[in-house]
Amino acid sequence: MSITMTTVILFAVFGVLLFLGVPISISIVASSIVTAMSTLSWDQITFITMQKMNSGVESFSLLAVPLFILAGNIMSRSITTKLIDVANALIGWIQGSLGVVTVLASALFGAISGSGVATASAIGGITIPAMKREGYPATFAAAVSSISSILGPIIPPSITLIVYASITNVSVSKLFIGSVLPGIILALSLAVYCLFFGKKNKLPAHEKMSGKQIATVFKNSIWALLMPVIILGGIFGGIFTPTEAAAVAVVYALII
């Protein structure tokens, strides 16, 4: 069968399945199988499919994805509250500070887990109820937590960038370096808006901590704060690869 005829079959089947409302992922697989059956034997199709599926996930870089997710799940049980305590100690006395705390804690958590979903569940699960208890609008609390969670996929180490690098054969470290500045700009922009919203709506603020109290909070949270320093410093310093950094994050989170 000619290449032109094969292409026609592929797009015809794909188009019909889309028209019938079949999900895109299933349409792609089904149209590929039908097209392959018109030119190859079933044994060849099975062998090629298994080979492509294996080569698609047989990547050292992709090992970092489940490891960073595991590190995030471990952190959500202990380290997350320490990160929030630090952010609250620094700016808790400002109106709208809980929103800023959510942003800063999400940035710190994202710099460890690399996952937006993990960031939203770990940080939002704590800060949203806290904001609602102090009189923040529920819509604002949910919105701040949701938008802050995207700092996870932007600020390195980002799972999204690791997957992209494994597909395109681009340097993971260079992608991480390129995402630092956009992540910082986004975090600062969100923090400024939270402060503006807090002052405009006269949201409550906590009593300002003394220098001794702030020092105590930092002392109790020092090991949690060192986690992103170790991971990002190790990657950017060439001490270990992003995959090795993910393994270090898991071990470090378990110890802490």
Side-chain angles (χ1 to χ4, degrees), residues 4 27 38 44 51 58 73 88 141 151 159 202 228 232:
T4 303
S27 299
S38 64
Q44 290 175 313
Q51 188 180 49
E58 192 178 18
N73 288 333
N88 204 27
L151 292 171
I159 291 177
K202 295 181 173 56
L232 298 180

Side-chain angles (χ1 to χ4, degrees), residues 38-240:
S38 64
T39 56
L40 303 173
S41 66
W42 183 252
D43 290 338
Q44 290 175 313
I45 294 173
T46 305
F47 175 76
I48 294 173
T49 301
M50 294 299 103
Q51 188 180 49
K52 291 296 183 181
M53 289 176 64
N54 181 69
S55 61
V57 298
E58 192 178 18
S59 170
F60 181 70
S61 298
L62 289 180
L63 285 175
V65 175
L67 290 175
F68 275 125
I69 293 175
L70 176 59
N73 288 333
I74 297 171
M75 286 173 52
S76 64
R77 301 177 182 274
S78 59
I79 297 177
T80 302
T81 54
K82 295 184 182 298
L83 297 178
I84 293 176
D85 289 342
V86 170
N88 204 27
L90 293 175
I91 57 170
W93 52 275
I94 304 175
Q95 287 181 316
S97 60
L98 265 180
V100 183
V101 167
T102 303
V103 174
L104 295 181
S106 297
L108 290 172
F109 192 91
I112 302 170
S113 68
S115 169
V117 175
T119 302
S121 61
I123 304 299
I126 297 174
T127 58
I128 290 178
M131 282 189 276
K132 291 171 68 177
R133 282 196 302 269
E134 295 196 11
Y136 284 67
T139 51
F140 174 78
V144 170
S145 178
S146 300
I147 194 64
S148 298
S149 67
I150 67 172
L151 292 171
I154 296 177
I155 294 178
S158 166
I159 291 177
T160 304
L161 293 181
I162 291 173
V163 174
Y164 178 83
S166 68
I167 296 174
T168 59
N169 293 322
V170 179
S171 171
V172 179
S173 297
K174 290 182 179 179
L175 286 177
F176 283 176
I177 294 173
S179 66
V180 170
L181 185 58
I184 293 175
I185 292 175
L186 178 59
L188 291 176
S189 301
L190 292 174
V192 169
Y193 176 77
C194 288
L195 294 177
F196 168 77
F197 185 88
K199 186 174 182 179
K200 180 181 178 181
N201 294 274
K202 295 181 173 56
L203 296 178
H206 296 277
E207 184 179 348
K208 189 173 183 179
M209 290 187 180
S210 64
K212 185 176 180 180
Q213 289 174 317
I214 295 176
T216 301
V217 172
F218 269 86
K219 181 180 177 181
N220 295 334
S221 308
I222 185 64
W223 296 111
L225 292 173
L226 283 176
M227 193 171 184
V229 175
I230 293 173
I231 294 173
L232 298 180
I235 294 175
F236 294 145
I239 300 174
F240 37 68

